[in-house]
Amino acid sequence: MSDILIKFLLASGTLFIMFNIAGLLTWVERKQSALMQDRIGANRASIFGFKAMGLFHAIADVLKMLSKEEFVPAGANKFLFNLAPYLSVTFALVGFAAIPIGNQLIMGARVIELQAANLNIALIYIFAMMSMGVYGVVLAGFSSNSNYAFLGGMRGAAQMIAYEITMGAAIMGVIMVFNTLDLQQLVRAQGEYLLGGWLPKWGIFVQPLAFILFLTAATAETKRTPFDLPEGESEIIGYFVEYSGMKFGMFFLADLVETVLVAALMTTLFLGGWQVLYLHPDGFHFPWGAIMTLPHLAVVGLGVLAFFLKVSFFIWFLMAVRWTLPRFRYDQLMNLGWKILLPVSLINIAVTAIIIILLR
Amino acid sequence: MENPNEKRRQELEKYFDKKGPFVFLRVAQMKRAWQQKNRRELTWWESTYIPTVVSGIWLTSKHFFRNLTLHILHTVGLFKDIPASATYQYPEQPRPLAKRLRTRHRLMKREDGTPRCVACMMCETVCPARCIEITATEHPDPNVEKQPAEFILDLGKCVYCGFCVEVCPEDAIRMDTGKLDTSEYSRESMIYDKKRLMEE
Ligand code: SF4
Ligand code: SF4
């Protein structure tokens, strides 16, 4: 009974945190883009005179979207039209279940893994869920009975399939190095050290090429600039052109949730997840010999903190990319995906395999 | 009085100054010009997009961290004279106007408070938008002869050309109030009468 309760608390906690981060991202996006472009950004919404640096704009947006008319275009397939935004958000959200946000917490005789779902195929599960996300896009484009939406949906499908393959091929190297599909095990394996204990065995250091490939493909997966062709505000508006009110808001939210998911995944795979540099289960063991013991709770807390800091860094980076680079042309996008990233990721697999066999 | 525009110009000059903090903008400009002159095929390294992506993100991140630091310093009251953004917070912080900018009209007054206008109808005649409508009446002073009983100016029609000011023989109408926000809820309230025009 209490096992179920703990699982429930863990799952709802993860969902709560991730949802809030995604909601906060609308604010982060506005403010960060403003700072990057020498502007100030949204700062007018106020409650009793408090402006809180424009934080209330996120609430104002949600209220606006909730109170808008739900418009369904004539000739649209009503069922699929209504289903599409839910699919988008749901598949983006369920991925978080398998992301480990911390090491195991030992309370008395009970060992709690800080991971909502303790799957031994977590990586495959997340990838399955992420590729299901394309159904939201395709269905939205297909069911709205609009040429622009259809074009956006088709673009989205082609793009996401192309980059999905690269993404899968890129993590093959990581899986080969760490020899596991369980994300908790994978993070634990990244706690080892190379070069006489100085360099952590994080994914980014053992698989740098895979990191760049994954970063590119994952940015494409979130459908944001420079890979925002399914949306392409200035040319076709995109697969959600016929949506209004909160259903449009859900597509918007799905994008942001996917950004958080991708950032969390990159942290887990390449930046050591909840690993803190030189922190072992009983405290810090520095490579020059110094030892600093810490209580168990502090170690776990530091791990969770480190995880969220790394995720924030990746979110910052993805936002910076989104507000810096221009959009690709469609043929450039396809060329990049099929002719450059895919072959390079295959070469990466081959080279990694050879090195692993030679080292054995 | 110091010209606010001059100050703005100096600020902009600082922006593009060789020694200023934005020298990299200048360098990027020069580099682009050089590249335009010497066009060629991309090298292998360039066609991976990595150098351009990195330099682009480097540029925007520099702006990001510079402005973030300045905003934080501003909240604790330091370095207020270095702006953290290039924008004006409009209603609270109006843009500096040029001295000779044509803004909303006003009617000048004599020392006794009557309008300086002698109802010569010059402005009404010259106005290209036909938005001035004057009703003349006699002035008690025989040297002045005429004065406007009513002076109606429809700002909804006015094109702010300034001809009325140029043509006036008495310097009775001026466009120097510095007011640009003539926004109203109806067209009728955009029509200014003598009283409103003489208010300032
Ligand atoms: S500024 Fe031009 S348009 Fe406006 S009232 Fe004067 S003459 Fe007419
Ligand atoms: S030109 Fe000058 S004096 Fe003549 S009517 Fe117009 S405001 Fe009055």
Side-chain angles (χ1 to χ4, degrees):
Chain A
M1 182 61 213
S2 64
D3 273 350
I4 292 174
L5 197 69
I6 286 171
K7 272 277 169 266
F8 181 75
L9 277 181
L10 210 55
S12 51
T14 314
L15 191 66
F16 179 79
I17 294 171
M18 295 309 174
F19 238 135
N20 275 309
I21 294 179
L24 204 62
L25 281 197
T26 60
W27 175 78
V28 171
E29 185 158 35
R30 280 173 167 167
K31 281 294 183 187
Q32 188 176 342
S33 65
L35 288 186
M36 276 162 52
Q37 299 168 353
D38 285 354
R39 293 183 286 111
I40 289 192
N43 64 350
R44 292 295 152 134
S46 67
I47 297 180
F48 304 121
F50 289 107
K51 285 185 175 159
M53 299 193 296
L55 263 174
F56 297 135
H57 275 269
I59 302 171
D61 275 351
V62 171
L63 287 181
K64 183 196 80 173
M65 281 176 176
L66 282 175
S67 57
K68 276 198 163 182
E69 184 193 350
E70 294 281 353
F71 177 76
V72 180
N77 185 330
K78 223 166 170 183
F79 175 69
L80 292 181
F81 186 83
N82 287 333
L83 184 69
Y86 294 98
L87 284 187
S88 259
V89 174
T90 312
F91 287 127
L93 277 175
V94 287
F96 285 114
I99 301 267
I101 57 170
N103 201 351
Q104 54 195 15
L105 187 66
I106 301 169
M107 289 166 87
R110 202 182 292 280
V111 178
I112 306 165
E113 299 276 355
L114 289 182
Q115 180 187 22
N118 225 333
L119 298 172
N120 56 2
I121 47 149
L123 204 48
I124 291 175
Y125 161 77
I126 289 180
F127 270 80
M129 289 304 128
M130 272 172 91
S131 33
M132 292 296 272
V134 77
Y135 279 99
V137 175
V138 174
L139 282 185
F142 167 71
S143 65
S144 348
N145 191 26
S146 152
N147 289 340
Y148 287 118
F150 189 68
L151 210 52
M154 288 297 105
R155 279 183 178 191
Q159 172 184 330
M160 286 170 92
I161 289 168
Y163 281 80
E164 198 91 27
I165 295 173
T166 306
M167 211 150 79
I171 56 159
M172 288 276 276
V174 183
I175 298 172
M176 270 155 41
V177 170
F178 295 113
N179 227 340
T180 176
L181 284 172
D182 184 341
L183 284 178
Q184 192 71 292
Q185 296 299 337
L186 203 141
V187 174
R188 224 159 263 156
Q190 294 184 52
E192 290 167 24
Y193 291 89
L194 306 166
L195 296 183
W198 284 93
L199 192 70
K201 198 184 171 188
W202 289 356
I204 186 169
F205 297 121
V206 288
Q207 287 282 312
L209 190 59
F211 173 68
I212 293 176
L213 292 170
F214 188 83
L215 187 67
T216 319
T219 320
E221 196 65 22
T222 57
K223 306 188 287 297
R224 289 157 64 76
T225 329
F227 302 103
D228 65 339
L229 287 123
E231 292 166 31
E233 291 101 339
S234 47
E235 36 185 275
I236 57 164
I237 309 173
Y239 56 92
F240 48 59
V241 62
E242 300 294 341
Y243 283 85
S244 65
M246 203 54 211
K247 289 209 193 94
F248 165 74
M250 284 169 85
F251 278 121
F252 200 73
L253 182 74
D255 261 19
L256 295 174
V257 171
E258 255 172 20
T259 308
V260 185
L261 179 62
V262 160
L265 204 55
M266 269 192 291
T267 308
T268 314
L269 290 177
F270 292 102
L271 226 51
W274 41 259
Q275 297 280 2
V276 187
L277 218 50
Y278 309 132
L279 185 68
H280 291 258
D282 57 343
F284 283 104
H285 288 244
F286 295 108
W288 55 88
I291 288 176
M292 199 175 109
T293 47
L294 284 173
H296 175 67
L297 218 58
V299 172
V300 175
L302 269 179
V304 174
L305 189 72
F307 175 77
F308 282 107
L309 277 182
K310 288 171 189 174
V311 170
S312 322
F313 166 76
F314 272 121
I315 289 173
W316 173 84
F317 184 78
L318 287 174
M319 292 272 172
V321 168
R322 188 245 178 279
W323 286 96
T324 303
L325 303 179
R327 186 185 310 139
F328 277 104
R329 219 170 50 211
Y330 202 69
D331 58 326
Q332 289 172 333
L333 177 91
M334 285 292 135
N335 273 346
L336 181 70
W338 290 109
K339 291 193 188 159
I340 300 177
L341 292 185
L342 184 60
V344 171
S345 58
L346 292 179
I347 291 170
N348 185 46
I349 296 175
V351 171
T352 313
I354 291 169
I355 291 177
I356 288 177
I357 289 174
L358 286 184
L359 283 183
R360 189 169 286 163
Chain B
M1 197 192 101
E2 113 184 52
N3 188 349
N5 251 30
E6 182 61 22
K7 204 164 151 244
R8 180 75 187 140
R9 199 180 61 77
Q10 279 169 1
E11 268 173 38
L12 278 178
E13 223 160 55
K14 233 189 285 165
Y15 212 81
F16 292 108
D17 187 14
K18 279 238 166 63
K19 301 186 288 299
F22 291 92
V23 65
F24 58 87
L25 272 181
R26 237 355 273 200
V27 171
Q29 239 173 23
M30 273 151 61
K31 197 174 147 207
R32 219 173 302 135
W34 187 85
Q35 280 169 347
Q36 289 269 310
K37 256 197 336 221
N38 307 281
R39 281 193 157 225
R40 56 179 172 75
E41 289 287 306
L42 295 182
T43 59
W44 174 84
W45 174 238
E46 280 166 343
S47 63
T48 56
Y49 298 116
I50 293 175
T52 31
V53 166
V54 169
S55 71
I57 292 175
W58 175 242
L59 179 74
T60 44
S61 317
K62 255 197 272 195
H63 274 259
F64 176 78
F65 285 113
R66 172 186 170 273
N67 291 333
L68 186 69
T69 323
L70 280 173
H71 274 301
I72 293 170
L73 287 176
H74 285 187
T75 45
V76 295
L78 290 170
F79 295 106
K80 286 260 190 193
D81 49 333
I82 308 175
S85 65
T87 49
Y88 293 100
Q89 292 295 295
Y90 169 60
E92 295 98 45
Q93 182 197 13
R95 280 185 61 170
L97 301 177
K99 251 182 170 175
R100 295 187 52 189
L101 181 73
R102 294 192 292 270
T103 49
R104 220 197 69 200
H105 312 65
R106 64 172 173 151
L107 281 177
M108 307 299 291
K109 288 178 217 164
R110 289 171 201 279
E111 259 135 49
D112 58 357
T114 56
R116 224 192 256 176
C117 170
V118 292
C120 69
M121 308 286 175
M122 296 268 245
C123 52
E124 190 177 330
T125 316
V126 78
C127 176
R130 307 256 173 111
C131 62
I132 303 181
E133 205 184 319
I134 302 166
T135 325
T137 180
E138 217 159 290
H139 197 274
D141 186 346
N143 288 329
V144 182
E145 292 182 2
K146 273 167 91 186
Q147 68 167 5
E150 189 50 277
F151 194 110
I152 287 173
L153 207 165
D154 188 349
L155 282 178
K157 288 185 194 160
C158 174
V159 295
Y160 285 83
C161 65
F163 285 180
C164 50
V165 179
E166 296 283 326
V167 84
C168 180
E170 299 284 325
D171 189 20
I173 187 163
R174 286 189 190 171
M175 297 179 77
D176 59 353
T177 47
K179 285 184 183 154
L180 286 166
D181 43 355
T182 354
S183 43
E184 304 278 355
Y185 283 106
S186 70
R187 296 193 176 191
E188 285 69 45
S189 46
M190 297 279 279
I191 301 174
Y192 277 57
D193 56 7
K194 191 172 86 172
K195 194 166 142 276
R196 257 170 111 190
L197 282 169
M198 280 174 67
E199 251 161 24
E200 53 261 298

